[in-house]
Amino acid sequence: MRKVSFFVLILCLVFTGVDGGKENLIKKFTLKSGQPHLHRPVQSGCYFESTGQKSAILGTEDGNFEVWIYPYKVLHNLKLHFLIEDEKEIIEGQKIASRVDVYPHQSILRFVHSSFNAEAILFTPLRESGVVILLSVVTVKPLSIVASFIPDLKPMWPAGLGGQYSYWDREKRYFVISEGTGKNVALVGSPAGEQFSSGPAHALPEGEMKLKIPVDSEDAKQHFYPIFVSASHDGRKRVDEIYARLSEDLGNLYLEKFRHYERLEKEGLSVQTPDEELNIAFQWAKVAVDKAFVCNPQLGCGLIAGYGLSGRSERPGFAWFFGGDAFYNSWALTSIGSFDVTRQSLAFIRKNQRQDGKIMHELSQGAAFIPWFEEYPYGFYHAETTPYYIVSLYNYLNCSGDLEFIRESWPSIKKAYEYILSADTDEDGLMENTVAGLAALELGAFLKKTKSDIYLAALSAEAHRVVSELAYLTGDKKLSEKAEKVYKTASAAIREKFWVEAEKRYAHALTVDDKPLMETTVWPSMPLFFRQFPQDRADYILDLFASSEMSTDWGIRTLSPRSSYYDPLNYNYGTVWPFLTGYVCLSEYNYGRSLAGYSHLMNMAYNTYIDALGFCPELLSGELFAPIEESVPHQIWSSSCVITSLVRGLLGLKGNALRKEIEFRPSFPGSWGRVQIYNFRVGKDLFNFIVERNTKNIVFEIEAQVSVPYRLNLSPSLGFGTSIKALKVNGEAKSFKIEEYMGEVRCVLDLEIEGKTIVEIETQGSIFLYSPPHFPKIGDKTSALKVIRAQYRDNQLKITAEGLPGMEYTLILITPRSIHSIIEAELAERGRLEKEIKINFKSREEGYRRKEIVVRFE
C-alpha cells in the first residue's frame, strides 16, 4: 500500500462518430488519483468492483465481470481478450492480468504482455444508469481488443422477464438487448467497436456476444478506447439518451464522482492516529458505507446491504434494501456526519412500513416487477427491525438535531410502537419472536425453542426508553409516561429473566416454557451495547468475550465451541461476523475494557486488506482465518463497525445537537502519543480535536465552530495508578472529578466550549499497558495472546491473560515507574519508559491456558 498524490485534469472529449476512426475515441486525460488508494498484484478469484448509486461492475481481479444497472443484471462473464493481428494469436486477459488499483471513484486492472500492455479503467457514474470501461493501450504490434459477454437483461431476484432478444445496431455500434414490450432495454457497445459474433434475430444467443475494438498504436498514445453500457425501463429513447451522455459528458460525470469522494474525505470526519493501517481502514470504511446508498429508478433511494457476484443467479451479494442493515449502518453514517444520506435512507424505510406498523426486513431491487410485499415472505419476517427503526431515528435526532424529521415521522413511530406492544403477550416489556418473527438467528435448532431472544429483548427495552424521550419532545406526555413505565418493566425483565446465577451468565434466549436457553452466544452484546446490565454482571460476560473460548484473532464467534451445536462454518452457529464483533467492541469500551476493545477494533480493521481490497467480508470461519465460501465480499456493516467502534468506542466521541452537548471519553492504546480528529459534526456545528499525550501530561486542543456554546464532558483515560497534579483550561486552574475502574483512572471535566480551548492535565506515575495487534495470515488458526482483564491495586498491576503453550508473547508497559518484580512473566527490556514483558505458557496439553501476571512496582 502506498500514498498517491493528486493530479489536476481537464477532460477533453471528442464526440463519437460511426466510421471507427480516432474521432470515435476518448482523448486521453490524466486520471484522478487521491486517497484512499490500495493496490496489489492480482489475486485470482478475489472480488473486485466499481459501484455507483445506479450501477455496478462486479467481478474478480483476474478480469471476469458482470454489469448491473438497477434493477437489471445486464450481462455477465464479461472478459477481455487481446488479438495480435499479424500473428492471429488471441491472448486471454485473465492469464495476463497483473495488478489492481482501487480508488473510491474508479478501479483499474492492468494487463501485461511482452508486445503490449493495457489498463481497463472501470468507472460507474455517481448518479447515472450506465457503466464505462476505458481501455488504455500501449502496443508494438497491430492489436485488437475483444470484449466477450453473455447477455441477461434480468431484473434482480425473484422477478423475471420473458422474450429477451438482442441484435447489433451497425450505425450506433452497439448491441441492443430488449424484450417484447420494448420498455426494458440495455445497450452495450463502443464507438470504435465492430460486431464480432452472430446470434438469432428474435432471442438471446446461447453463447457469448463479442465486440471487437481495433487498436491503432499511434491513436492509442492519445486516446482511450471506451466500452459503454446503459439500461432503462423507460424504453429505447431514454436508454439512448443515457448512452449518449456517457460519451458526451464523461468529463463531468468523472469529475462529479471524484469530487464526491474528495468531499467525503476532506469534509467528512477525519481521524489520524499513530496506526496507519487503522487510518486507511477508517478511510475505506467511510467509502464502503457511502457506497451502500443506492437509487432504484422504480423504488427510490436507500441503503443496500452489500455487494458480491451473482454468478448464474440474479442475487448480487446483498445489493438490495435491508431494514436491519440500514439501521446498523446509520450509526456509522451519523458518526461521520452523513446526515442527509441517513435521513433519506430512514425515510425510504418509513414509506415501506406495513399497515400494522411493522418495519420491513428486506426489499429486492426487482420488487417493482412483482407483488413483493403481498405474495413473497421476505418483506417482514424479521422482528427486530421495528424497535431498531425507532432507536435509529433517535440516534439520528441526537446527532443531527433534525427534530422536524422526527415530527414528520411521528405517526410512523407511533404505529411502530403499537406493533411493538402488540408483540408482547405477557406484558413484560419484551417483544416475542413467537409473535413478531426472527431476530438474532435465521435458522437452526434454537429457533423452535425461542420465545424471546436477548437481541430482540434488548432492542425492545431500548425502544421503550426512546419512545418516552421522543414523545416528551413532541408533546405527547401521556405516551411518554406510558413508555417510561414499560421501559422500567422491560429493563427489570432483561436483567433478571435472562440471568443464570449459577453460571454467572446471561442466556441466549427465553424459551417457550419461559426458561433460559443456556447457550453461550455473542448476542448478550446487544444489551451491553445499550448499557442495560450492571457492571458486576457485565464483567462476567466481557471476561468470556475476551477469552479464547469466544475470541479468535479476527473477531468474536457467534457460538461457543463448547456447544454441541457449534460448527465453525455454520452461518449462525459458529462463524465470526464482524458486525457482531462491533457490538462486542463497543460494549467493551462502554464498560471500561479498552484493552479487549482495541484488540477487537484491530481485528475488524484488518479485514479491509484480506479479500475485496478496501472492503470487508460478511463472515469468516470460526476456526481458520478465511471468509467462508458463501460470504459476501463487500458487506457494508462489516466496514461500518470499524467507524462506530473507532469513533464511539476508542474515541468515546458522541454529540447531542438538541442539548448542545458533546461527550469525549477517549481510551487511547498505551503506545499512542498523538491523535487528530477533524470535522466532527453535531447538527450544523463542527469540532476539531488534537490530542497530545505522554507519561507526564495530556493536552487537548479543541476548536468549536459553533453558533452557540456547547457543554463538553471530557473524561480521558490516564492509565493505571495515575495521580493528577493539576488541570488547566486556557491556562487557568479548574476543578475536576476522578473516576476509577479496576485502577484505570479518568479525569472527568465538564466545561463550556466555543472557539478555541486548551485543556492540559498534568499527571504523575501513569502506567499504560499495550498489547501489540496480531495480524494472522489467511488460513491461520487463532494463536494471539488474549488479555482478559487488567487491574491495578496496592502498587500491583494484575493481568489475566490466555495463550498457547510453546509460544512467547509480548506485552509493553509504558511508565516512568520502576518495576520491583514480575510473577509469571519476565522483564525482557527495561527502558526508561518502555518495559517489554515476555510471557510463556507451559503445559503438555493443547489449547489455550490462562494465567495471572503480577507486576510489582517500586
Side-chain angles (χ1 to χ4, degrees):
M1 290 163 286
R2 63 182 178 85
K3 294 185 176 180
V4 181
S5 60
F6 285 83
F7 293 93
V8 178
L9 67 89
I10 297 177
L11 300 183
C12 299
L13 306 181
V14 180
F15 180 68
T16 61
V18 297
D19 65 356
K22 66 182 180 181
E23 63 268 27
N24 300 306
L25 306 179
I26 302 294
K27 186 163 183 173
K28 276 192 175 179
F29 53 83
T30 304
L31 295 174
K32 284 276 193 179
S33 54
Q35 297 301 327
H37 168 214
L38 294 173
H39 65 78
R40 69 183 175 200
V42 161
Q43 296 188 15
S44 181
C46 275
Y47 177 78
F48 187 55
E49 71 171 35
S50 175
T51 62
Q53 292 179 5
K54 295 185 177 181
S55 62
I57 306 173
L58 314 178
T60 54
E61 290 185 5
D62 53 357
N64 188 349
F65 302 103
E66 60 189 51
V67 171
W68 286 82
I69 299 176
Y70 306 130
Y72 308 104
K73 180 180 182 180
V74 177
L75 58 87
H76 71 281
N77 211 34
L78 171 62
K79 301 176 183 178
L80 297 179
H81 315 266
F82 300 89
L83 173 60
I84 302 175
E85 296 285 2
D86 59 0
E87 298 179 8
K88 303 300 180 185
E89 179 185 6
I90 294 182
I91 309 297
E92 293 183 21
Q94 287 185 287
K95 293 183 178 180
I96 59 170
S98 172
R99 164 180 156 137
V100 292
D101 287 74
V102 292
Y103 304 86
H105 62 292
Q106 66 191 5
S107 297
I108 302 174
L109 175 58
R110 288 178 167 83
F111 304 91
V112 177
H113 184 266
S114 58
S115 63
F116 66 88
N117 65 64
E119 291 183 348
I121 299 111
L122 311 182
F123 174 69
T124 46
L126 185 66
R127 298 184 180 92
E128 189 59 272
S129 297
V131 159
V132 179
I133 300 175
L134 294 176
L135 301 171
S136 177
V137 186
V138 175
T139 181
V140 297
K141 291 187 176 183
L143 183 73
S144 290
I145 300 172
V146 178
S148 64
F149 61 90
I150 298 175
D152 291 291
L153 194 65
K154 297 176 181 178
M156 197 173 291
W157 82 284
L161 289 173
Q164 288 97 326
Y165 63 87
S166 67
Y167 65 90
W168 174 255
D169 187 313
R170 184 178 178 184
E171 179 184 355
K172 297 293 184 67
R173 295 181 177 269
Y174 54 48
F175 287 104
V176 179
I177 310 169
S178 189
E179 44 74 44
T181 70
K183 295 178 181 179
N184 305 284
V185 189
L187 308 176
V188 183
S190 172
E194 303 170 358
Q195 183 181 12
F196 203 56
S197 61
S198 60
H202 302 292
L204 294 181
E206 293 188 6
E208 297 176 332
M209 298 171 73
K210 295 179 181 178
L211 176 70
K212 180 182 176 183
I213 304 173
V215 175
D216 180 88
S217 59
E218 289 302 312
D219 287 347
K221 293 177 182 178
Q222 302 294 326
H223 297 88
F224 291 120
Y225 291 82
I227 297 173
F228 300 123
V229 186
S230 65
S232 174
H233 70 289
D234 287 330
R236 177 68 180 272
K237 181 180 179 181
R238 174 59 183 146
V239 79
D240 264 319
E241 291 171 352
I242 298 169
Y243 190 91
R245 190 181 179 215
L246 295 177
S247 173
E248 297 168 12
D249 205 22
L250 180 58
N252 289 329
L253 294 173
Y254 186 89
L255 286 172
E256 178 188 33
K257 191 173 186 184
F258 173 78
R259 287 170 178 164
H260 172 82
Y261 285 106
E262 186 179 46
R263 285 193 301 272
L264 181 68
E265 179 57 29
K266 291 184 176 181
E267 299 176 15
L269 179 66
S270 172
V271 180
Q272 293 294 316
T273 78
D275 192 315
E276 189 62 15
E277 297 282 345
L278 178 59
N279 297 340
I280 294 171
F282 178 73
Q283 288 179 300
W284 276 105
K286 292 192 296 181
V287 171
V289 295
D290 183 82
K291 285 180 176 288
F293 188 71
V294 158
C295 291
N296 181 294
Q298 296 155 300
L299 302 175
C301 301
L303 296 176
I304 57 97
Y307 297 97
L309 294 174
S310 63
R312 296 181 179 180
S313 74
E314 285 74 53
R315 295 171 61 102
F318 289 117
W320 57 95
F321 306 105
F322 282 81
D325 296 66
F327 303 141
Y328 185 97
N329 295 328
S330 72
W331 292 65
L333 286 165
T334 51
S335 295
I336 62 175
S338 293
F339 301 140
D340 182 58
V341 170
T342 308
R343 177 179 174 135
Q344 289 187 67
S345 302
L346 293 172
F348 176 83
I349 290 171
R350 184 184 67 197
K351 79 176 183 179
N352 289 295
Q353 186 175 22
R354 202 165 70 182
Q355 190 62 36
D356 64 355
K358 193 173 188 182
I359 296 299
M360 75 170 207
H361 167 62
E362 62 182 303
L363 177 64
S364 168
Q365 290 210 55
F369 293 88
I370 54 176
W372 170 262
F373 288 123
E374 295 79 11
E375 296 184 11
Y376 290 80
Y378 315 109
F380 294 100
Y381 79 143
H382 263 249
E384 86 286 352
T385 50
T386 305
Y388 216 159
Y389 168 67
I390 295 174
V391 171
S392 297
L393 280 165
Y394 183 67
N395 168 67
Y396 168 72
L397 172 64
N398 285 340
C399 297
S400 69
D402 189 357
L403 189 56
E404 177 187 353
F405 184 67
I406 298 302
R407 291 196 175 106
E408 177 188 311
S409 303
W410 187 238
S412 169
I413 294 170
K414 289 177 70 176
K415 282 175 63 178
Y417 191 55
E418 288 166 6
Y419 180 81
I420 291 171
L421 295 174
S422 74
D424 173 21
T425 61
D426 58 6
E427 298 184 349
D428 64 353
L430 308 180
M431 291 178 71
E432 295 155 22
N433 299 84
T434 48
V435 177
L438 304 173
L441 306 177
E442 290 189 337
L443 49 86
F446 295 178
L447 292 184
K448 60 185 177 181
K449 304 175 184 179
T450 297
K451 175 186 176 184
S452 295
D453 67 47
I454 199 166
Y455 175 55
L456 181 60
L459 279 163
S460 303
E462 182 67 3
H464 296 309
R465 186 188 73 82
V466 164
V467 167
S468 179
E469 292 275 348
L470 293 177
Y472 178 80
L473 287 171
T474 55
D476 193 336
K477 184 178 179 181
K478 184 177 179 180
L479 180 57
S480 179
E481 291 173 350
K482 177 183 177 180
E484 183 180 9
K485 183 178 179 181
V486 182
Y487 169 63
K488 291 177 180 177
T489 302
S491 295
I494 196 172
R495 282 197 307 269
E496 302 305 327
K497 284 190 173 184
F498 288 83
W499 178 251
V500 180
E501 178 64 26
E503 299 193 27
K504 302 294 186 185
R505 294 186 186 184
Y506 280 96
H508 168 73
L510 298 178
T511 68
V512 291
D513 300 322
D514 269 331
K515 296 179 180 178
L517 178 59
M518 275 315 298
E519 291 285 349
T520 302
T521 72
V522 67
W523 293 101
S525 60
M526 197 64 184
L528 291 171
F529 171 64
F530 291 127
R531 304 190 189 197
Q532 292 169 341
F533 292 155
Q535 181 76 54
D536 59 339
R537 290 183 178 180
D539 283 339
Y540 289 112
I541 308 169
L542 294 171
D543 280 353
L544 176 65
F545 285 164
S547 74
S548 58
E549 179 180 346
M550 294 298 288
S551 275
T552 68
D553 294 349
W554 47 95
I556 295 282
R557 295 183 178 99
T558 50
L559 180 65
S560 167
R562 297 178 185 177
S563 170
S564 60
Y565 295 99
Y566 174 74
D567 177 351
L569 303 180
N570 185 285
Y571 200 72
N572 283 155
Y573 292 81
T575 48
V576 171
W577 291 73
F579 95 95
L580 290 174
T581 303
Y583 280 134
V584 171
C585 179
L586 288 162
S587 300
E588 288 163 334
Y589 282 111
N590 279 347
Y591 286 88
R593 299 298 193 92
S594 59
L595 288 168
Y598 176 63
S599 176
H600 287 133
L601 169 60
M602 297 307 292
N603 290 162
M604 294 180 285
Y606 186 56
N607 288 332
T608 307
Y609 310 104
I610 67 167
D611 188 17
L613 202 55
F615 306 113
C616 299
E618 177 191 12
L619 69 166
L620 303 97
S621 164
E623 291 298 323
L624 302 176
F625 181 46
I628 68 170
E629 188 173 344
E630 62 194 282
S631 173
V632 171
H634 176 181
Q635 187 75 9
I636 309 301
W637 63 13
S638 295
S639 293
S640 71
C641 57
V642 176
I643 295 172
T644 49
S645 297
L646 175 58
V647 177
R648 301 185 186 219
L650 187 149
L651 298 179
L653 197 51
K654 303 168 190 174
N656 189 306
L658 291 183
R659 296 176 183 173
K660 304 299 180 186
E661 293 175 352
I662 288 180
E663 179 183 343
F664 189 16
R665 188 179 173 85
S667 304
F668 297 155
S671 63
W672 286 15
R674 179 181 172 88
V675 174
Q676 298 164 273
I677 305 162
Y678 298 105
N679 302 325
F680 178 66
R681 297 183 184 276
V682 184
K684 297 180 180 179
D685 298 310
L686 192 69
F687 301 85
N688 301 320
F689 305 89
I690 298 176
V691 187
E692 298 268 7
R693 185 184 73 176
N694 56 43
T695 56
K696 293 183 179 180
N697 66 13
I698 182 168
V699 178
F700 293 83
E701 182 180 324
I702 304 162
E703 181 186 6
Q705 300 175 22
V706 297
S707 54
V708 297
Y710 269 65
R711 298 303 302 179
L712 173 66
N713 182 271
L714 180 64
S715 54
S717 170
L718 302 177
F720 294 97
T722 305
S723 299
I724 301 173
K725 296 176 66 177
L727 185 150
K728 295 180 180 179
V729 177
N730 293 331
E732 295 184 8
K734 294 288 183 181
S735 61
F736 57 89
K737 297 179 181 178
I738 293 176
E739 177 186 309
E740 189 172 333
Y741 171 67
M742 290 189 178
E744 184 178 6
V745 175
R746 289 183 183 272
C747 174
V748 181
L749 174 66
D750 185 75
L751 70 157
E752 186 177 273
I753 57 172
E754 184 179 21
K756 290 190 176 182
T757 305
I758 304 292
V759 178
E760 183 176 2
I761 306 170
E762 188 178 354
T763 62
Q764 180 174 294
S766 301
I767 303 167
F768 295 104
L769 180 62
Y770 179 64
S771 181
H774 171 74
F775 299 120
K777 296 178 181 178
I778 292 293
D780 279 0
K781 296 195 71 173
T782 292
S783 62
L785 183 72
K786 309 298 178 191
V787 178
I788 311 302
R789 65 163 69 189
Q791 185 170 5
Y792 179 84
R793 186 178 179 183
D794 297 334
N795 222 34
Q796 294 185 150
L797 181 64
K798 294 182 179 180
I799 306 162
T800 304
E802 291 180 350
L804 289 173
M807 293 193 66
E808 185 174 74
Y809 300 98
T810 300
L811 281 177
I812 298 172
L813 288 174
I814 302 169
T815 178
R817 299 171 66 174
S818 299
I819 294 176
H820 176 272
S821 62
I822 300 178
I823 299 173
E824 294 290 348
E826 295 180 359
L827 183 60
E829 292 187 19
R830 189 191 298 266
R832 189 179 70 84
L833 294 178
E834 286 198 10
K835 284 85 173 174
E836 191 172 285
I837 298 172
K838 297 295 184 181
I839 307 168
N840 291 278
F841 293 81
K842 298 178 181 179
S843 176
R844 294 182 179 180
E845 299 179 19
E846 293 184 354
Y848 272 83
R849 293 289 173 266
R850 181 176 292 194
K851 67 165 57 176
E852 185 175 79
I853 299 104
V854 180
V855 182
R856 293 175 179 164
F857 295 90
E858 297 286 0

